Amino acid sequence: MSVIRRTEVLGRTTRRRVVGVTAALSAAAVETLGVGLWFGLVVGSRTTTTALAGLGVLFCGALLRTVVVDATIGDLGDLLQPHRLAAPLLLTGGWICWLLVAELVGDVAGVAVATVVLTAVLTAQCRLERRVCDRYARYRTGWLVGPGLLLALGAAALLASAWFTGWTLSSGPISLGITTVVVRLEAVHLGAVAFGFAAVLAHQRRFQRLLGS
């Protein structure tokens, strides 16, 4: 009987790890795509149209991230309820404040101050998102500072790649049938990759804690 019970425990542990990894990759993909597209739209062109489009993309990404969290640790309820919309709204506002603070302070100091602010906002947002999605969260403790810090550091790398580096690598013309393409690699692309990597680590750490608690 002890062997059977241990097999069941190992099975639950394996399933929990698979669910955690899948949820982490999904949340990281959604966050990287949403923040990356918003950042590209806002930094690339400062017009009312791009600002509104970027805001829509950012909010949709935040809402989808909350859906992933809710599907993993909650019961996937109606996210359009006012108290459930608070989590994606705080996440959206946090990213906007991050960029505004960085631009207001400016230079390296702006990136540093914005990173601290974003860490605090993301940590609070993770706490709120957990409370919204998991009805039993009030019995659990922990502010999950690590994931918020990892995401903020990834965001700092993205911002630094756009502000302080301007190199571009281009390939020669590549013929593809009747068309010719040129592959370009800019520093901001590497910054986006760094942010995506940080997002994977952050969400993996977060879901490991959530599913294991």
Side-chain angles (χ1 to χ4, degrees):
M1 292 298 294
S2 62
V3 175
I4 294 176
R5 286 196 295 269
R6 181 161 181 79
T7 301
E8 291 176 349
V9 171
L10 290 176
R12 289 197 299 270
T13 302
T14 301
R15 287 195 297 271
R16 188 161 57 240
R17 287 177 179 174
V18 170
V19 170
V21 171
T22 302
L25 292 176
S26 300
V30 167
E31 188 134 50
T32 302
L33 186 61
V35 173
L37 289 176
W38 164 74
F39 186 79
L41 286 170
V42 173
V43 173
S45 176
R46 293 300 178 91
T47 64
T48 303
T49 302
T50 56
L52 292 175
L55 182 62
V57 169
L58 188 61
F59 177 74
C60 288
L63 188 62
L64 286 176
R65 199 191 88 164
T66 304
V67 169
V68 172
V69 176
D70 198 17
T72 305
I73 66 172
D75 55 1
L76 201 60
D78 185 8
L79 288 176
L80 296 182
Q81 296 176 9
H83 72 284
R84 285 180 172 250
L85 282 175
L89 284 174
L90 178 59
L91 184 60
T92 302
W95 284 110
I96 295 174
C97 288
W98 164 73
L99 189 56
L100 289 177
V101 169
E103 292 183 339
L104 182 63
V105 178
D107 208 15
V108 178
V111 177
V113 173
T115 300
V116 174
V117 171
L118 185 61
T119 299
V121 173
L122 291 179
T123 300
Q125 194 276 336
C126 286
R127 177 76 173 184
L128 174 63
E129 195 170 55
R130 185 180 185 181
R131 291 287 297 273
V132 166
C133 296
D134 187 358
R135 59 178 178 172
Y136 300 110
R138 62 181 179 274
Y139 300 117
R140 301 169 183 172
T141 58
W143 277 81
L144 296 174
V145 177
L149 178 60
L150 285 171
L151 281 170
L153 291 176
L158 176 62
L159 186 59
S161 67
W163 277 9
F164 306 127
T165 54
W167 56 262
T168 300
L169 299 178
S170 300
S171 69
I174 302 174
S175 179
L176 297 175
I178 60 175
T179 63
T180 300
V181 297
V182 176
V183 179
R184 296 183 58 186
L185 179 64
E186 299 181 2
V188 70
H189 296 152
L190 295 182
V193 171
F195 176 76
F197 182 70
V200 171
L201 292 179
H203 287 295
Q204 192 276 332
R205 178 183 175 88
R206 184 186 182 199
F207 282 110
Q208 183 180 24
R209 175 78 174 272
L210 292 177
L211 296 174
S213 56

